């Protein structure tokens, strides 16, 4: 069995949906679970609608609902040709947009906000299901809200998902084609929730993991994981093979092609992940598995923006123990993860990308010493095999960035990551300079 995920761009227009049909049709006849994101741009529009409902600006929210409805009317008219298909499509969008408009009459809380955000994937999957029906292809539309669940810590509830989805699949043992929604799930209260922006990759990985699939395929608009950010550097190349750990580092540190959390379930259950291109379906793509080909080499570079660096300078740190624990406890209290950390005998610098509680955190850290905050930085993450060949990598990196003001360097945390922190305005130059020196 394979799990195939298609992102917002791959279902972004009726033409793209038809292209997706031809990719699915050409797959060998085994079980396939197709995970779809919302049509590109839809989740952004839904976010705006929910924001305005939350603010109480119902008039603006309803205008935005109507604008989106008009886009879907065009989509339906271009996707279907049969009277039945056109009716199915029209009834579907009428149902979902009535629900969106109807929310103006009730109290609107964060519960309703998440219901609004779920409509994109509910629409795209049903539209594709009806399109397959028009093409005389039978498929089962699996409601993700029936089996995707997070626990009280917002972590996937593997046990629940394994038993629920396993049971559903047994019910449909003779069917081969399944379609389900990416991104959406329920929380531990049973309310509609989601896996955060870009979360459809995570859905595919979770489904592949709990069903022990042969492969999880992430289909997108590029021919695999590139060795640098193609939006910033021009001559990047697709990488044929990456290990789970290398892919996780790159995804976490900004390689947008993959949701940062999506590698973990696949690694936990050892299910390979393949990144493929909807526009070039025959291209090799990238295989992410337990093995790697990096063998002493640097394989890729990625960048993560919106980073804030915090330095705590304290003479009390000198020869003291327990200092770092007290610093970390502050971040733990506010549930803010730390990305990078460097220390000297009298100071510690660390980075965060979540600044909602920055003021409170700084206030608490000031009990330990002087605190400096530098915002608008980027982490540049260089990934490769630093175990087989243990010398030379740091020199290559520092030499390539000798003209850039580097705020932090972190090396040795893992055997395949060297990260540097630079002001955001130097990100592109840093990526290009490293690319020219390394590849
Ligand atoms: N290292 C990288 N390799 C490949 N693509 C990358 C990388 N870093 C950023 N990207 C960007 O990720 C995009 C694909 O991700 P995304 O837009 O989320 O796809 P989808 O909508 O299919 O989920 C590519 O078009 C590319 O611009
Ligand atoms: N629709 C969601 C989920 C998603 O994963 O989208 P994409 O696969 O297009 O990144 C979002 O826009 O965040």
């Amino acid at each position: 069995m394979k799990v195939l995920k298609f992102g917002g761009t791959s279902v972004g227009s009726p033409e793209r949906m038809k292209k997706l049909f031809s990719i699915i049709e050409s797959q060998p006849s085994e079980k396939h679970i197709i995970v779809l994101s919302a049509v590109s741009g839809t989740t952004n529009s839904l976010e705006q609608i929910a924001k305005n409902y939350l603010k109480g600006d119902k008039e603006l929210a309803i205008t935005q609902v109507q604008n989106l409805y008009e886009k879907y009317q065009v989509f339906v008219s271009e996707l279907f040709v049969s009277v039945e298909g056109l009716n199915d499509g029209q009834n579907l969008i009428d149902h979902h947009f009535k629900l969106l408009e109807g929310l103006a009459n009730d109290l609107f809380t964060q519960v309703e906000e998440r219901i609004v955000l779920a409509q994109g994937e509910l629409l795209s999957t049903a539209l594709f299901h009806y399109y397959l029906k028009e093409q005389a292809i039978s498929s089962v539309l699996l409601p993700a809200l029936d089996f995707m669940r997070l626990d009280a810590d917002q972590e996937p509830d593997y046990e629940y998902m394994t038993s629920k989805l396993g049971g559903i699949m047994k019910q449909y043992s003779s069917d081969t084609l399944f379609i389900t929604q990416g991104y959406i799930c329920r929380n531990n209260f049973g309310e509609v929730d989601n896996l955060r922006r870009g979360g459809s990759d995570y859905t595919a990985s979770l489904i592949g993991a709990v069903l022990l699939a042969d492969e999880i395929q992430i289909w997108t608009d590029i021919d695999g994981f590139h060795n640098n950010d193609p939006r910033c550097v021009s001559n990047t190349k697709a990488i044929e093979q990456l290990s789970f750990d290398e892919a996780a580092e790159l995804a976490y540190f900004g390689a947008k092609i993959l949701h940062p959390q999506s590698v973990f379930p696949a690694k936990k259950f050892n299910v390979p992940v393949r990144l493929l291109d909807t526009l070039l379906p025959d291209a090799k793509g990238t295989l992410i598995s337990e093995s790697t080909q990096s063998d002493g080499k640097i394989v890729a570079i990625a960048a993560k923006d919106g980073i804030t660096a915090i330095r705590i300078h304290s003479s009390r740190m000198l020869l003291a123990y327990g200092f770092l624990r007290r610093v970390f406890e502050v971040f733990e209290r506010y549930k803010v993860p730390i990305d990078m950390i460097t220390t000297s005998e009298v100071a510690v610098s660390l980075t965060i990308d979540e600044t909602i509680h920055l003021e409170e955190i700084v206030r608490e850290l000031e009990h330990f010493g002087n605190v400096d905050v530098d915002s608008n930085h980027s982490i540049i993450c260089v990934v490769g095999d630093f175990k087989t060949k243990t010398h030379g990598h740091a020199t290559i990196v520092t030499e390539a960035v000798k003209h850039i003001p580097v705020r932090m360097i972190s090396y040795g945390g893992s055997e395949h990551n060297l990260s540097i922190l630079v002001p955001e305005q130097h990100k592109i130059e840093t990526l290009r300079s490293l690319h020219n020196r390394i590849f």
Side-chain angles (χ1 to χ4, degrees):
M1 179 213 294
K2 286 192 179 134
V3 180
L4 282 70
K5 179 260 171 177
F6 295 88
T9 42
S10 307
V11 291
S13 65
E15 286 71 28
R16 295 296 295 263
M17 249 192 204
K18 290 174 190 173
K19 174 111 189 141
L20 198 152
F21 166 68
S22 65
I23 292 173
I24 290 167
E25 218 190 3
S26 66
Q27 299 288 323
S29 58
E30 54 182 310
K31 268 195 198 300
H32 285 90
I33 301 184
I34 313 296
V35 177
L36 299 184
S37 294
V39 170
S40 63
T42 299
T43 311
N44 288 345
S45 304
L46 294 171
E47 265 186 356
Q48 287 305 316
I49 291 164
K51 199 179 95 197
N52 289 317
Y53 270 140
L54 269 178
K55 272 202 321 209
D57 197 342
K58 291 182 182 176
E59 221 171 286
L60 182 54
I62 289 175
T63 309
Q64 288 167 331
V65 170
Q66 282 160 356
N67 290 343
L68 192 61
Y69 177 62
E70 280 165 25
K71 285 190 193 157
Y72 273 87
Q73 278 185 310
V74 177
F75 201 104
V76 165
S77 69
E78 289 175 4
L79 182 65
F80 300 100
V81 285
S82 68
V83 176
E84 196 191 344
L86 286 162
N87 274 341
D88 281 344
Q90 191 61 45
N91 290 339
L92 174 83
I93 62 170
D94 285 351
H95 168 78
H96 286 276
F97 282 88
K98 246 186 216 129
L99 181 148
L100 286 171
E101 259 188 23
L103 290 167
N105 307 321
D106 297 321
L107 180 69
F108 196 92
T109 68
Q110 280 166 347
V111 174
E112 284 72 30
E113 179 182 22
R114 295 191 297 255
I115 292 173
V116 169
L117 292 178
Q119 301 309 307
E121 274 71 11
L122 292 169
L123 278 163
S124 63
T125 46
L127 282 171
F128 190 60
H129 172 69
Y130 288 136
Y131 178 68
L132 290 178
K133 186 176 144 201
E134 189 177 71
Q135 306 305 311
I137 305 282
S138 97
S139 65
V140 179
L141 189 56
L142 292 177
L145 297 177
D146 287 355
F147 60 86
M148 289 294 295
R149 197 162 85 169
L150 297 176
D151 65 17
D153 296 320
Q154 296 284 302
E155 291 296 326
D157 190 338
Y158 283 101
E159 218 174 294
Y160 177 87
M161 290 190 299
T162 307
S163 98
K164 262 297 206 184
L165 186 55
I168 294 172
M169 294 306 284
K170 264 197 204 125
Q171 246 177 279
Y172 294 104
S173 56
S174 54
D175 290 279
T176 54
L177 187 56
F178 299 84
I179 299 163
T180 193
Q181 300 84 26
Y183 176 64
I184 64 173
C185 64
R186 289 194 188 272
N187 58 25
N188 63 316
F189 301 114
E191 298 161 348
V192 174
D193 208 331
N194 60 64
L195 302 172
R196 313 293 163 253
R197 296 303 306 270
S200 300
D201 296 347
Y202 196 23
T203 303
S205 180
L206 287 166
I207 293 177
V210 300
L211 293 179
L212 293 174
D214 298 316
E215 191 166 279
I216 298 157
Q217 297 185 346
I218 307 288
W219 289 79
T220 180
D221 61 350
I222 190 160
D223 59 339
F225 220 123
H226 276 221
N227 58 359
N228 206 329
D229 192 330
R231 295 164 301 177
C232 304
V233 180
S234 54
N235 50 343
T236 62
K237 271 205 322 238
I239 306 163
E240 275 188 28
Q241 216 174 339
L242 280 172
S243 69
F244 287 122
D245 288 345
E246 288 165 344
E249 299 264 19
L250 289 165
Y252 184 74
F253 286 109
K256 190 187 168 271
I257 186 166
L258 208 54
H259 184 273
Q261 279 160 298
S262 59
V263 182
F264 186 70
K267 180 182 165 165
K268 186 173 155 103
F269 291 85
N270 195 17
V271 179
V273 179
R274 203 180 284 276
L275 306 186
L276 292 158
D277 187 351
T278 35
L279 298 174
L280 289 169
D282 296 326
K284 266 190 178 162
T286 303
L287 177 66
I288 302 168
S289 66
E290 272 186 330
S291 34
T292 171
Q293 284 185 332
S294 50
D295 194 24
K297 291 193 293 281
I298 291 172
V299 282
I301 306 163
K304 184 175 178 185
D305 299 331
I307 303 294
T308 300
I310 302 171
R311 178 187 288 118
I312 307 124
H313 191 279
S314 169
S315 51
R316 269 189 284 157
M317 201 178 155
L318 200 65
L319 298 176
Y321 53 84
F323 183 84
L324 283 179
R325 176 181 52 77
R326 292 202 296 278
V327 168
F328 288 155
E329 275 169 359
V330 174
F331 291 89
E332 193 181 346
R333 268 199 293 284
Y334 292 96
K335 294 197 160 104
V336 173
I338 296 167
D339 285 333
M340 265 175 96
I341 170 154
T342 53
T343 63
S344 87
E345 197 44 44
V346 288
V348 52
S349 272
L350 39 83
T351 70
I352 56 172
D353 67 354
E354 169 69 78
T355 52
I356 309 175
H357 298 293
L358 184 61
E359 257 181 55
E360 297 102 298
I361 289 174
V362 170
R363 216 174 302 131
E364 290 203 31
L365 292 175
E366 277 168 347
H367 295 304
F368 306 133
N370 295 328
V371 179
D372 302 315
V373 175
D374 296 313
S375 38
N376 301 327
H377 275 63
S378 298
I379 293 178
I380 312 289
C381 170
V382 179
V383 165
D385 170 23
F386 301 158
K387 182 171 60 180
T388 316
K389 179 172 167 267
T390 51
H391 52 87
H393 294 297
T395 316
I396 292 172
V397 172
T398 48
E399 209 179 79
V401 299
K402 63 183 177 208
H403 56 300
I404 312 266
V406 173
R407 167 74 173 75
M408 283 166 71
I409 301 182
S410 170
Y411 178 57
S414 81
E415 286 168 328
H416 39 252
N417 174 354
L418 191 163
S419 296
I420 58 174
L421 185 74
V422 300
E424 237 166 56
Q425 71 264 34
H426 293 286
K427 175 185 94 169
I428 293 181
E429 171 54 18
T430 309
L431 287 175
R432 288 181 183 159
S433 187
L434 282 165
H435 194 81
N436 293 339
R437 176 67 186 80
I438 295 167
F439 302 117

